[in-house]
Amino acid sequence: MAGKLYLCATPIGNLEDITYRVVRTLKEVDLIGAEDTRNSIKLLNHFDINTPMTSYHEFNKYDKAKVLVEEMLQGKNIALITDAGTPGISDPGEELVRQCFEAGVEVTSLPGAAACVTALTMSGQRTRRFVFEAFLPKDKKEKAKVLENLEKETRTIVIYEAPHRLTKTLKELERVLGDRPITICRELTKKFEEAFQTTITEAIELYQEKEPKGEYVLVIAGKPEEELEAEKRKQWEEMTVKEHVNYYIGQGNDKKEAMKLTAKDRGVSKRDIYNQLIE
């Protein structure tokens, strides 16, 4: 029978934030795939776990995933751990999971620490709806596209950032999003954990005087719905009714549906739109 993949969440700072189930599983599996074996050996030694490890990271994730899947098909049970937090969240674990599903290997996830959820829950920002962007892309064009999409995002935004890039990222966020409310979280679960509410502009001023230290999670308020609606109304007002209807036809709607959507945007009846088109 085929083995199984266990995604095991590890602490993001405080070693007490590991579950009994994860410790037991790491002791029982045949092999542990670790993002950085030199880092993970400290965790395993702390909990007296002697299971063999193998490296699985960003630079070998495709080929190594094939090897690990083959071992599981032959009956081995394998656990996957990341340097900190839950495998598959902003790390190469997602590729191994994808290949497991393609091969018919069973996958289960053992819940535990995740920096994005930890920061969100203690941020004081809205938590019902949120979007997680992890680290912004390094490629300039790709980053610009992500930021452009976030400009109209009404959900709370969660972003990871390293200390040496923090100020630059805050300036980019200010340029695209404006001066939004933000909660800055750093060194989560560690001795010098900190979380404070401010604005993006104030945060830039703060870190121009104070050197950023530690790992950061930025929790940013989404664009207010009423502000987004006002922008849309302004956009529609600048169009003629014909241009407005053609906009929706260009998106693949038939003329009847395009007229219905135009009427909704403008707060009038479909008959009014029809009459204006005739005129």
Side-chain angles (χ1 to χ4, degrees), residues 28-131:
E28 292 177 352
V29 293
D30 301 296
L31 182 67
I32 297 172
E35 190 173 7
D36 185 340
T37 55
R38 294 166 301 179
N39 180 67
S40 295
I41 192 64
K42 301 172 188 175
L43 177 75
L44 300 193
N45 286 341
H46 181 82
F47 290 103
D48 195 26
I49 298 168
N50 301 308
T51 307
M53 271 194 299
T54 187
S55 64
Y56 177 80
H57 50 71
E58 183 65 29
F59 303 105
N60 72 354
K61 63 182 181 181
Y62 297 108
D63 293 336
K64 192 59 174 285
K66 292 177 183 177
V67 173
L68 295 178
V69 167
E70 186 58 38
E71 292 194 40
M72 284 182 277
L73 288 173
Q74 293 175 9
K76 279 190 177 181
N77 289 314
I78 296 178
L80 183 68
I81 58 176
T82 182
D83 280 349
T86 301
I89 301 296
S90 187
D91 88 345
E94 62 182 340
E95 175 60 26
L96 179 56
V97 173
R98 186 188 68 78
Q99 290 196 29
C100 281
F101 273 91
E102 285 185 352
V105 172
E106 187 178 354
V107 178
T108 189
S109 183
L110 282 60
C116 57
V117 175
T118 302
L120 179 67
T121 55
M122 65 190 291
S123 69
Q125 306 292 345
R126 297 186 178 213
T127 60
R128 189 177 73 84
R129 299 171 63 245
F130 69 95
V131 56

Side-chain angles (χ1 to χ4, degrees), residues 236 238-249 262 266 277:
W236 305 139
E238 291 172 352
M239 287 183 176
T240 66
V241 171
K242 185 176 181 180
E243 288 171 338
H244 200 156
V245 171
N246 285 339
Y247 166 79
Y248 281 119
I249 291 174
T262 299
R266 291 175 175 258
L277 286 174

Side-chain angles (χ1 to χ4, degrees), residues 141-190:
K141 288 185 179 179
E142 192 178 349
K143 183 192 290 185
K145 188 175 182 181
V146 169
L147 289 173
E148 182 184 349
N149 290 335
L150 290 179
E151 193 276 327
K152 295 188 184 333
E153 181 58 68
T154 58
R155 294 170 292 181
T156 299
I157 302 164
V158 183
I159 293 174
Y160 289 164
E161 196 47 278
H164 63 280
R165 290 194 302 263
L166 180 65
T167 302
K168 181 182 178 182
T169 295
L170 288 169
K171 288 179 179 178
E172 290 173 325
L173 291 169
E174 182 189 45
R175 177 177 55 80
V176 178
L177 307 183
D179 191 19
R180 300 260 188 101
I182 183 174
T183 302
I184 296 183
C185 305
R186 59 179 289 273
E187 295 295 271
L188 291 172
T189 77
K190 300 176 185 177

Side-chain angles (χ1 to χ4, degrees), residues 167 170 199-210:
T167 302
L170 288 169
T199 67
I200 295 176
T201 301
E202 289 174 350
I204 292 170
E205 294 172 357
L206 170 66
Y207 289 112
Q208 284 175 337
E209 298 176 0
K210 176 184 176 182

